[in-house]
Amino acid sequence: MSKPNTKVALIEAASRLFRLHGYEGISLNDILKEINIPKGSLYHYFPNGKEELAVEAIHHTKDIVLAWIEESFEQIGDPVKAVQDHIHQLAVLLKDETEQVGFPIGTIAAEKYSTNEPIRSACQTAFEEWSELYSTKFFEAGYSEKLAKDYGVFILAAIEGGILLSLTTKSEESLLIIADQIPFILSKREN
Amino acid sequence: MSKPNTKVALIEAASRLFRLHGYEGISLNDILKEINIPKGSLYHYFPNGKEELAVEAIHHTKDIVLAWIEESFEQIGDPVKAVQDHIHQLAVLLKDETEQVGFPIGTIAAEKYSTNEPIRSACQTAFEEWSELYSTKFFEAGYSEKLAKDYGVFILAAIEGGILLSLTTKSEESLLIIADQIPFILSKREN
DNA sequence: AAATAATTAAACCGACCAGTCTAATATAAT
DNA sequence: ATTATATTAGACTGGTCGGTTTAATTATTT
């Protein structure tokens, strides 16, 4: 039986709760209560408190999503169909409330982009790495460097917006419409 | 000299501050201090407090954006170019910090979609009316009903995501890439 | 001018916030 | 076994939160 890793438990709980309710919507006490850890432990592992925990939680969320995107591309060779498939998956995940996907990075980015530089920077890194992963896959599939880059940004924006619309309307419809449009949009043209 | 309209001043200030910092990021005292209005007045006009003020602020933000979208379509006949142009305008507005555009509706929707039904519902209405306005314009320009509807959702999602990316990265690049892609994406096909 | 209603004013409340502090306890190193 | 270090424990602090209350003032009506 391995020793319980308090620090990891804190990051995972913070990642999940910040995704669901944002930075200002969750208190340190909320996080601690959920996993039954005293406040002393939190400030032992994260001397800079809530901000430091949030930055690590953002990195953790980023890594989860990166692995999940990578998985879609590995299972499906055609990058267009891979993107379409994982937007589909996302629509299903969001509907299943036990998944507690929330709005990964989006809520905390929207809240703090103008008032907390370490958090903004962590969110920027997440968005950039996600976008670059899409771009890399399209470049590897023979799309031009410029087009691959632009598609990476465009796909990410459409997904982020689609998540926001689907969460707000409590319906997967928006994401499904976006998934349907994907094959018409991501053509291998040269401009 | 008309009497100062305290209620309108409150809604306008709340609209601006919620756009910039979200629901949890702005206190009632912040709003009141900015326009020098005592708390008693706020609870006179909004007996249900912060939530009621937020719902009216969301409706106000929705109307501002509706008028702004309408303006783009009136000035530019071609709906594709109108969309492209107003994403361009948005990129410029976001860069100009005096404009205080923030993330209209997005932040507050992301924060409260799961915990405050009146606010979620107000945000849903805003998204639906924006999306329907786009759809109407495309339908009027001869696009099929289905395609016009899907494009309305898709455009809104791409714009919302694009705003989030541009704010987070402190760069208009994301929105400009999206604007560039628009004419290739919004073709008048039949599916 | 008197009476009534609308609005302003700010002190005040309990709850909760992030963060601090000191001590107790468990674990590892010698 | 003893020392040193890492970790847990939670009471406590000053400040801010949304919201309440009561009184004073202003505007409207008669």
Short mmCIF file of all heavy atoms in Angstrom, two decimals, chain D residues 4-20:
data_model
loop_
_atom_site.label_atom_id
_atom_site.label_comp_id
_atom_site.label_asym_id
_atom_site.label_seq_id
_atom_site.Cartn_x
_atom_site.Cartn_y
_atom_site.Cartn_z
P DA D 4 19.94 17.51 15.98
OP1 DA D 4 21.23 18.18 15.68
OP2 DA D 4 19.00 18.11 16.95
"O5'" DA D 4 19.17 17.29 14.59
"C5'" DA D 4 19.76 16.44 13.61
"C4'" DA D 4 18.81 16.29 12.43
"O4'" DA D 4 17.73 15.39 12.77
"C3'" DA D 4 18.16 17.60 11.98
"O3'" DA D 4 18.26 17.66 10.57
"C2'" DA D 4 16.70 17.47 12.44
"C1'" DA D 4 16.49 15.97 12.39
N9 DA D 4 15.50 15.45 13.33
C8 DA D 4 15.37 15.74 14.67
N7 DA D 4 14.39 15.09 15.26
C5 DA D 4 13.83 14.33 14.23
C6 DA D 4 12.77 13.42 14.22
N6 DA D 4 12.02 13.13 15.29
N1 DA D 4 12.47 12.83 13.04
C2 DA D 4 13.22 13.14 11.96
N3 DA D 4 14.25 13.97 11.87
C4 DA D 4 14.50 14.54 13.05
P DT D 5 17.89 18.95 9.77
OP1 DT D 5 18.98 19.20 8.81
OP2 DT D 5 17.45 20.00 10.72
"O5'" DT D 5 16.61 18.49 8.94
"C5'" DT D 5 16.65 17.24 8.23
"C4'" DT D 5 15.24 16.80 7.89
"O4'" DT D 5 14.54 16.35 9.07
"C3'" DT D 5 14.36 17.91 7.28
"O3'" DT D 5 13.93 17.46 6.01
"C2'" DT D 5 13.19 18.05 8.27
"C1'" DT D 5 13.18 16.68 8.93
N1 DT D 5 12.56 16.61 10.28
C2 DT D 5 11.54 15.71 10.52
O2 DT D 5 11.11 14.96 9.66
N3 DT D 5 11.04 15.69 11.80
C4 DT D 5 11.46 16.49 12.85
O4 DT D 5 10.94 16.39 13.96
C5 DT D 5 12.53 17.40 12.55
C7 DT D 5 13.06 18.30 13.62
C6 DT D 5 13.04 17.42 11.29
P DA D 6 13.12 18.35 5.02
OP1 DA D 6 13.71 18.24 3.68
OP2 DA D 6 12.88 19.68 5.64
"O5'" DA D 6 11.73 17.55 5.02
"C5'" DA D 6 11.76 16.12 4.98
"C4'" DA D 6 10.35 15.59 5.16
"O4'" DA D 6 9.98 15.64 6.56
"C3'" DA D 6 9.28 16.38 4.40
"O3'" DA D 6 8.39 15.42 3.83
"C2'" DA D 6 8.61 17.23 5.49
"C1'" DA D 6 8.76 16.34 6.72
N9 DA D 6 8.87 17.04 8.01
C8 DA D 6 9.68 18.08 8.32
N7 DA D 6 9.59 18.49 9.57
C5 DA D 6 8.63 17.64 10.12
C6 DA D 6 8.08 17.55 11.40
N6 DA D 6 8.42 18.34 12.42
N1 DA D 6 7.15 16.58 11.62
C2 DA D 6 6.82 15.78 10.61
N3 DA D 6 7.27 15.77 9.35
C4 DA D 6 8.19 16.74 9.17
P DT D 7 7.20 15.88 2.92
OP1 DT D 7 6.88 14.77 1.99
OP2 DT D 7 7.46 17.25 2.41
"O5'" DT D 7 6.00 15.95 3.96
"C5'" DT D 7 5.58 14.74 4.60
"C4'" DT D 7 4.57 15.05 5.67
"O4'" DT D 7 5.14 15.91 6.67
"C3'" DT D 7 3.31 15.79 5.20
"O3'" DT D 7 2.26 14.83 5.18
"C2'" DT D 7 3.11 16.91 6.24
"C1'" DT D 7 4.07 16.50 7.36
N1 DT D 7 4.62 17.59 8.20
C2 DT D 7 4.24 17.66 9.54
O2 DT D 7 3.48 16.86 10.05
N3 DT D 7 4.81 18.70 10.25
C4 DT D 7 5.70 19.65 9.77
O4 DT D 7 6.14 20.52 10.50
C5 DT D 7 6.06 19.53 8.37
C7 DT D 7 6.99 20.49 7.75
C6 DT D 7 5.50 18.51 7.66
P DT D 8 0.76 15.23 4.84
OP1 DT D 8 0.09 14.04 4.30
OP2 DT D 8 0.77 16.51 4.11
"O5'" DT D 8 0.17 15.50 6.31
"C5'" DT D 8 0.26 14.47 7.28
"C4'" DT D 8 -0.31 14.96 8.60
"O4'" DT D 8 0.50 16.05 9.11
"C3'" DT D 8 -1.75 15.49 8.55
"O3'" DT D 8 -2.46 14.84 9.59
"C2'" DT D 8 -1.58 17.01 8.78
"C1'" DT D 8 -0.34 17.04 9.66
N1 DT D 8 0.47 18.31 9.67
C2 DT D 8 0.69 18.96 10.86
O2 DT D 8 0.25 18.58 11.93
N3 DT D 8 1.47 20.09 10.76
C4 DT D 8 2.04 20.61 9.61
O4 DT D 8 2.72 21.63 9.64
C5 DT D 8 1.77 19.87 8.39
C7 DT D 8 2.34 20.35 7.10
C6 DT D 8 1.00 18.77 8.48
P DA D 9 -4.03 14.83 9.58
OP1 DA D 9 -4.43 13.56 10.23
OP2 DA D 9 -4.54 15.16 8.25
"O5'" DA D 9 -4.40 16.02 10.56
"C5'" DA D 9 -3.90 15.99 11.90
"C4'" DA D 9 -4.10 17.32 12.55
"O4'" DA D 9 -3.03 18.21 12.17
"C3'" DA D 9 -5.36 18.07 12.14
"O3'" DA D 9 -6.32 17.87 13.16
"C2'" DA D 9 -4.92 19.54 12.02
"C1'" DA D 9 -3.47 19.52 12.48
N9 DA D 9 -2.60 20.46 11.79
C8 DA D 9 -2.23 20.46 10.48
N7 DA D 9 -1.41 21.42 10.13
C5 DA D 9 -1.22 22.11 11.31
C6 DA D 9 -0.46 23.26 11.63
N6 DA D 9 0.27 23.91 10.74
N1 DA D 9 -0.49 23.71 12.91
C2 DA D 9 -1.24 23.04 13.81
N3 DA D 9 -1.99 21.95 13.63
C4 DA D 9 -1.94 21.54 12.35
P DG D 10 -7.88 18.18 12.86
OP1 DG D 10 -8.70 17.35 13.77
OP2 DG D 10 -8.08 18.11 11.40
"O5'" DG D 10 -8.01 19.70 13.30
"C5'" DG D 10 -7.60 20.07 14.61
"C4'" DG D 10 -7.48 21.58 14.68
"O4'" DG D 10 -6.31 22.02 13.94
"C3'" DG D 10 -8.67 22.35 14.07
"O3'" DG D 10 -8.92 23.48 14.88
"C2'" DG D 10 -8.11 22.80 12.73
"C1'" DG D 10 -6.70 23.15 13.18
N9 DG D 10 -5.77 23.40 12.09
C8 DG D 10 -5.78 22.88 10.83
N7 DG D 10 -4.81 23.33 10.07
C5 DG D 10 -4.13 24.21 10.88
C6 DG D 10 -2.99 25.00 10.62
O6 DG D 10 -2.34 25.09 9.58
N1 DG D 10 -2.62 25.76 11.73
C2 DG D 10 -3.26 25.73 12.94
N2 DG D 10 -2.76 26.52 13.89
N3 DG D 10 -4.32 24.99 13.19
C4 DG D 10 -4.70 24.26 12.13
P DA D 11 -10.30 23.61 15.66
OP1 DA D 11 -10.54 22.35 16.40
OP2 DA D 11 -11.31 24.11 14.70
"O5'" DA D 11 -9.98 24.76 16.72
"C5'" DA D 11 -8.86 24.62 17.59
"C4'" DA D 11 -8.07 25.93 17.66
"O4'" DA D 11 -7.26 26.08 16.46
"C3'" DA D 11 -8.93 27.19 17.75
"O3'" DA D 11 -8.27 28.10 18.63
"C2'" DA D 11 -8.93 27.73 16.32
"C1'" DA D 11 -7.52 27.35 15.86
N9 DA D 11 -7.36 27.17 14.42
C8 DA D 11 -8.12 26.39 13.58
N7 DA D 11 -7.72 26.41 12.33
C5 DA D 11 -6.62 27.25 12.34
C6 DA D 11 -5.75 27.68 11.32
N6 DA D 11 -5.86 27.30 10.05
N1 DA D 11 -4.75 28.54 11.66
C2 DA D 11 -4.65 28.91 12.94
N3 DA D 11 -5.40 28.57 13.99
C4 DA D 11 -6.38 27.73 13.61
P DC D 12 -9.02 29.43 19.14
OP1 DC D 12 -8.55 29.69 20.52
OP2 DC D 12 -10.47 29.29 18.86
"O5'" DC D 12 -8.45 30.56 18.19
"C5'" DC D 12 -7.03 30.78 18.17
"C4'" DC D 12 -6.68 31.74 17.04
"O4'" DC D 12 -6.75 31.05 15.78
"C3'" DC D 12 -7.60 32.96 16.91
"O3'" DC D 12 -6.87 34.12 17.29
"C2'" DC D 12 -8.00 32.98 15.44
"C1'" DC D 12 -7.04 32.00 14.79
N1 DC D 12 -7.57 31.27 13.60
C2 DC D 12 -6.94 31.43 12.36
O2 DC D 12 -5.97 32.19 12.28
N3 DC D 12 -7.42 30.77 11.28
C4 DC D 12 -8.48 29.96 11.41
N4 DC D 12 -8.90 29.32 10.33
C5 DC D 12 -9.13 29.78 12.67
C6 DC D 12 -8.66 30.45 13.72
P DT D 13 -7.61 35.54 17.35
OP1 DT D 13 -7.05 36.29 18.49
OP2 DT D 13 -9.07 35.37 17.22
"O5'" DT D 13 -7.08 36.22 16.02
"C5'" DT D 13 -5.68 36.22 15.68
"C4'" DT D 13 -5.52 36.95 14.36
"O4'" DT D 13 -5.84 36.05 13.27
"C3'" DT D 13 -6.46 38.15 14.25
"O3'" DT D 13 -5.72 39.32 13.97
"C2'" DT D 13 -7.40 37.79 13.10
"C1'" DT D 13 -6.64 36.74 12.32
N1 DT D 13 -7.52 35.72 11.66
C2 DT D 13 -7.36 35.47 10.32
O2 DT D 13 -6.55 36.04 9.62
N3 DT D 13 -8.22 34.52 9.81
C4 DT D 13 -9.19 33.81 10.50
O4 DT D 13 -9.91 32.98 9.95
C5 DT D 13 -9.30 34.13 11.91
C7 DT D 13 -10.32 33.44 12.76
C6 DT D 13 -8.47 35.05 12.42
P DG D 14 -6.38 40.73 14.41
OP1 DG D 14 -5.43 41.43 15.28
OP2 DG D 14 -7.78 40.48 14.82
"O5'" DG D 14 -6.41 41.49 13.00
"C5'" DG D 14 -5.33 41.35 12.08
"C4'" DG D 14 -5.84 41.54 10.67
"O4'" DG D 14 -6.62 40.39 10.26
"C3'" DG D 14 -6.76 42.76 10.50
"O3'" DG D 14 -6.38 43.40 9.29
"C2'" DG D 14 -8.17 42.15 10.43
"C1'" DG D 14 -7.89 40.81 9.77
N9 DG D 14 -8.84 39.73 10.08
C8 DG D 14 -9.48 39.47 11.27
N7 DG D 14 -10.26 38.42 11.23
C5 DG D 14 -10.13 37.96 9.93
C6 DG D 14 -10.75 36.85 9.28
O6 DG D 14 -11.54 36.02 9.73
N1 DG D 14 -10.33 36.74 7.95
C2 DG D 14 -9.45 37.59 7.33
N2 DG D 14 -9.17 37.34 6.05
N3 DG D 14 -8.87 38.63 7.93
C4 DG D 14 -9.26 38.75 9.21
P DG D 15 -7.08 44.77 8.83
OP1 DG D 15 -6.03 45.66 8.31
OP2 DG D 15 -8.01 45.23 9.89
"O5'" DG D 15 -7.95 44.28 7.59
"C5'" DG D 15 -7.33 43.44 6.61
"C4'" DG D 15 -8.39 42.86 5.71
"O4'" DG D 15 -9.10 41.80 6.40
"C3'" DG D 15 -9.46 43.86 5.25
"O3'" DG D 15 -9.47 43.87 3.83
"C2'" DG D 15 -10.76 43.33 5.84
"C1'" DG D 15 -10.46 41.85 6.05
N9 DG D 15 -11.23 41.24 7.13
C8 DG D 15 -11.30 41.65 8.44
N7 DG D 15 -12.08 40.89 9.18
C5 DG D 15 -12.55 39.93 8.30
C6 DG D 15 -13.43 38.84 8.52
O6 DG D 15 -13.99 38.50 9.56
N1 DG D 15 -13.64 38.11 7.35
C2 DG D 15 -13.07 38.40 6.13
N2 DG D 15 -13.39 37.58 5.12
N3 DG D 15 -12.25 39.41 5.91
C4 DG D 15 -12.04 40.12 7.04
P DT D 16 -10.26 44.96 3.02
OP1 DT D 16 -9.38 45.42 1.95
OP2 DT D 16 -10.92 45.89 3.97
"O5'" DT D 16 -11.41 44.10 2.35
"C5'" DT D 16 -11.09 42.87 1.68
"C4'" DT D 16 -12.36 42.10 1.44
"O4'" DT D 16 -12.84 41.54 2.68
"C3'" DT D 16 -13.50 42.97 0.90
"O3'" DT D 16 -13.91 42.41 -0.35
"C2'" DT D 16 -14.59 42.88 1.97
"C1'" DT D 16 -14.24 41.58 2.69
N1 DT D 16 -14.69 41.49 4.10
C2 DT D 16 -15.47 40.42 4.49
O2 DT D 16 -15.83 39.55 3.73
N3 DT D 16 -15.83 40.41 5.83
C4 DT D 16 -15.48 41.35 6.78
O4 DT D 16 -15.86 41.23 7.94
C5 DT D 16 -14.66 42.44 6.30
C7 DT D 16 -14.22 43.51 7.26
C6 DT D 16 -14.31 42.46 5.00
P DC D 17 -15.07 43.05 -1.23
OP1 DC D 17 -14.60 42.98 -2.62
OP2 DC D 17 -15.50 44.34 -0.63
"O5'" DC D 17 -16.26 42.02 -1.05
"C5'" DC D 17 -16.01 40.62 -1.27
"C4'" DC D 17 -17.17 39.81 -0.77
"O4'" DC D 17 -17.11 39.71 0.67
"C3'" DC D 17 -18.53 40.45 -1.03
"O3'" DC D 17 -18.96 40.10 -2.33
"C2'" DC D 17 -19.40 39.80 0.05
"C1'" DC D 17 -18.41 39.56 1.20
N1 DC D 17 -18.52 40.48 2.36
C2 DC D 17 -19.32 40.13 3.45
O2 DC D 17 -19.96 39.07 3.39
N3 DC D 17 -19.38 40.97 4.52
C4 DC D 17 -18.68 42.10 4.52
N4 DC D 17 -18.75 42.89 5.59
C5 DC D 17 -17.85 42.48 3.41
C6 DC D 17 -17.82 41.65 2.36
P DG D 18 -20.12 40.94 -3.06
OP1 DG D 18 -20.11 40.58 -4.49
OP2 DG D 18 -19.99 42.35 -2.66
"O5'" DG D 18 -21.43 40.35 -2.39
"C5'" DG D 18 -21.73 38.98 -2.52
"C4'" DG D 18 -22.95 38.65 -1.67
"O4'" DG D 18 -22.71 39.05 -0.30
"C3'" DG D 18 -24.22 39.36 -2.11
"O3'" DG D 18 -25.32 38.47 -1.92
"C2'" DG D 18 -24.29 40.56 -1.16
"C1'" DG D 18 -23.66 40.01 0.11
N9 DG D 18 -22.95 41.04 0.89
C8 DG D 18 -22.07 41.97 0.40
N7 DG D 18 -21.60 42.76 1.33
C5 DG D 18 -22.19 42.32 2.49
C6 DG D 18 -22.06 42.80 3.83
O6 DG D 18 -21.38 43.74 4.25
N1 DG D 18 -22.85 42.07 4.72
C2 DG D 18 -23.65 41.00 4.36
N2 DG D 18 -24.33 40.42 5.35
N3 DG D 18 -23.77 40.55 3.12
C4 DG D 18 -23.02 41.25 2.24
P DG D 19 -26.81 38.99 -2.31
OP1 DG D 19 -27.63 37.80 -2.60
OP2 DG D 19 -26.75 40.09 -3.27
"O5'" DG D 19 -27.32 39.56 -0.91
"C5'" DG D 19 -27.34 38.68 0.22
"C4'" DG D 19 -27.74 39.44 1.45
"O4'" DG D 19 -26.69 40.38 1.81
"C3'" DG D 19 -29.01 40.29 1.31
"O3'" DG D 19 -29.96 39.80 2.26
"C2'" DG D 19 -28.57 41.71 1.62
"C1'" DG D 19 -27.29 41.50 2.42
N9 DG D 19 -26.36 42.61 2.36
C8 DG D 19 -25.74 43.13 1.24
N7 DG D 19 -24.95 44.15 1.51
C5 DG D 19 -25.06 44.31 2.88
C6 DG D 19 -24.46 45.26 3.76
O6 DG D 19 -23.67 46.16 3.48
N1 DG D 19 -24.85 45.07 5.08
C2 DG D 19 -25.73 44.10 5.51
N2 DG D 19 -25.99 44.08 6.82
N3 DG D 19 -26.30 43.21 4.71
C4 DG D 19 -25.93 43.37 3.42
P DT D 20 -31.41 40.52 2.42
OP1 DT D 20 -32.36 39.43 2.78
OP2 DT D 20 -31.66 41.41 1.28
"O5'" DT D 20 -31.21 41.40 3.73
"C5'" DT D 20 -30.67 40.79 4.89
"C4'" DT D 20 -30.77 41.77 6.05
"O4'" DT D 20 -29.77 42.80 5.90
"C3'" DT D 20 -32.11 42.50 6.17
"O3'" DT D 20 -32.57 42.32 7.50
"C2'" DT D 20 -31.80 43.96 5.82
"C1'" DT D 20 -30.32 44.07 6.19
N1 DT D 20 -29.51 45.04 5.42
C2 DT D 20 -28.79 46.01 6.08
O2 DT D 20 -28.81 46.15 7.29
N3 DT D 20 -28.05 46.84 5.27
C4 DT D 20 -27.95 46.79 3.89
O4 DT D 20 -27.25 47.58 3.27
C5 DT D 20 -28.72 45.75 3.26
C7 DT D 20 -28.69 45.60 1.77
C6 DT D 20 -29.45 44.94 4.04
#
